[in-house]
Amino acid sequence: MKRYFFVLGSNFNLSLAELSALFPHNRWEKCDSVVLSDFSEELDCRELMVLLGGTIKIGEVVKEISLANRRSLAESVKRELILEAKKSGTGELSGKFNFGFSFYNKKNLAGDFFKLGLAVKKDLKNMGLASRMVMSREPILSSVVVEQNKLVKNGLELCFMVDKKTVYLGKTLVVQPFKDLSKRDFGRPNRDDHSGMIPPKLAQIMINLARRNDKDYQDKILADPFCGSGTILMEAYLMGFKNIIGTDLSDKAVVDSKKNMEWLFDFKNNSGKGNNINIFKSDILELDEKIDKNSVDYVVCEPYLGPQRGFKDFTEVVSDLDDLYSKSFEILFDILKIGGRIVMVWPQFRAENKVWKINPKIGRFKFRATLDLNIEDKKELNKDRDTLVYGRAEQKVWREIVILEKLK
C-alpha cells in the first residue's frame, strides 16, 4: 500500500471530481490544495499525469510525522535530501544536486525549513556533493520552477502538507506537462478566439468524467457534436481514443478541426493511422440521420453558450438555449448506447447581482453527480442537479459541468 498526493488546480472541486471519477473506490483526504489517497498498486505517475487535466503535481508520501515533533520532521527531511543527493551523484545542472521545498499548509513551516535546507547544503558539501536550494518568493514552487530546475529528473522537491496535527512529507514524482498543454492551446494553427474555445485541461477533465474508471475506454466511441476548433477531439485522441466523431454546423469549425488534428499528428510525430476519426458538417438536430442509433458511448461537448459579446437579454437567451438543448437531447438519446454518458457545459449568466440558469428538458436522461464527495465550497454546487459551477467574479458567463446518463 502506497500513499500518493495530488496537487490540484485552481478549481479544486472540479479537479477532485476528475480523480474520484477515475478512482471511485478511493478515499480522499484534503490538505489545503492537496488531496492524499492510498493505492494498493504502484501508480505509473507519468502516464497518469498525461491523462489528468486538473492535477498539477503527483508525488509519493514518504513520511507522516506529528506536527509537534519538529525534530523528527527535520531529521526526515535531512535524510531524504541526503539519500536523493547520493543517488543522483553530481547531476546534470551546473554539476549540482538541486532541491526545493513547497509548503501546502496554513501553519508557517517555511522559515524553519529554509534554514534546515541551508544547513543540509553544508552537510552535502562536506560529503563532496555540490547542491543548490531552489527558492521562490512564494511558499509553493510552481510546476514551471520544478521543471526548469530539474527537481524531478535530477533533484528533489519535498512537499509539506499539514492536516491538523500531522505533517505529510511528500516527494514530487511528476508535474503537469505545461509546455505541451500551452503548445496545444496556443500553438495550433486554427484558433477561434471570437467564438470562444474550451481549454485543453477542461477538455481532459470532461473526457475523464465521461469515461470514469472504464478500463476499455480506448475502444469506445466518443462524439463531440459542437466540435468548434477540435479541442475535445484532440484531447480524446491524445488520451488513446481510437474512434472519434466530431461535427459542427459551421463550415469553418469543421475545417479548423481537421487542420488542427493534422497539426496534432505532426506535433506528436504520428500519422493518425489506426484511428477512426470522422469530422463532418451537421446540424445536431439531424445527427440521428448520420450516426447509427445506439452506437456512441460518450458525448463530450461545449455547445453554443449564447452570444458572447454585446448587450444580452438573458431571459430571452435562456429561453432560446432551453429550446435548443431540449431538442438536442432527443437526438443524442437516439445515438447513445444504454448507459452512455454525456458530459457537457451549460452556461450560467451573471450580471447586476442576478443569476440566469438554463433548465432544458433532459427527457429520459438522468443527472449524475459531478462530484459524489462532500465539498466545502457550496457556492460551486448546483443542488438542483448535483453539478459544479465555476467562473471568475468578473465573468458574465460561468460554466456548469453537467453529467447525464442514458436510461433504458
Side-chain angles (χ1 to χ4, degrees), residues 177-188:
F178 57 89
K179 291 180 182 178
D180 253 17
L181 285 165
S182 178
K183 186 73 173 177
R184 300 202 302 268
D185 197 2
F186 301 106
R188 70 178 86 176

Side-chain angles (χ1 to χ4, degrees), residues 104-117:
Y104 298 92
N105 62 80
K106 296 176 183 178
K107 300 180 184 295
N108 186 18
L109 294 176
D112 292 345
F113 286 92
F114 281 140
K115 293 177 183 177
L116 176 65

Side-chain angles (χ1 to χ4, degrees), residues 81 98-102 132-135 141 151 156-159:
L81 286 172
N98 293 342
F99 67 91
F101 301 141
S102 285
R132 181 170 71 92
M133 183 166 68
V134 177
M135 301 179 68
L141 298 178
L151 298 187
L156 178 66
E157 182 195 27
L158 288 177
C159 296

Side-chain angles (χ1 to χ4, degrees), residues 119-175:
V120 172
K121 266 178 60 73
K122 290 183 179 179
D123 291 341
L124 292 173
K125 185 176 181 180
N126 292 334
M127 297 166 59
L129 295 171
S131 65
R132 181 170 71 92
M133 183 166 68
V134 177
M135 301 179 68
S136 170
R137 292 181 180 179
E138 302 297 326
I140 295 171
L141 298 178
S142 69
S143 57
V144 176
V145 170
V146 172
E147 177 71 19
Q148 289 179 339
N149 288 278
K150 300 185 179 180
L151 298 187
V152 172
K153 183 179 179 181
N154 194 50
L156 178 66
E157 182 195 27
L158 288 177
C159 296
F160 298 75
M161 297 153 286
V162 179
D163 179 25
K164 296 178 181 178
K165 298 180 180 180
T166 304
V167 179
Y168 299 95
L169 184 64
K171 171 185 175 182
T172 302
L173 300 176
V174 64
V175 298

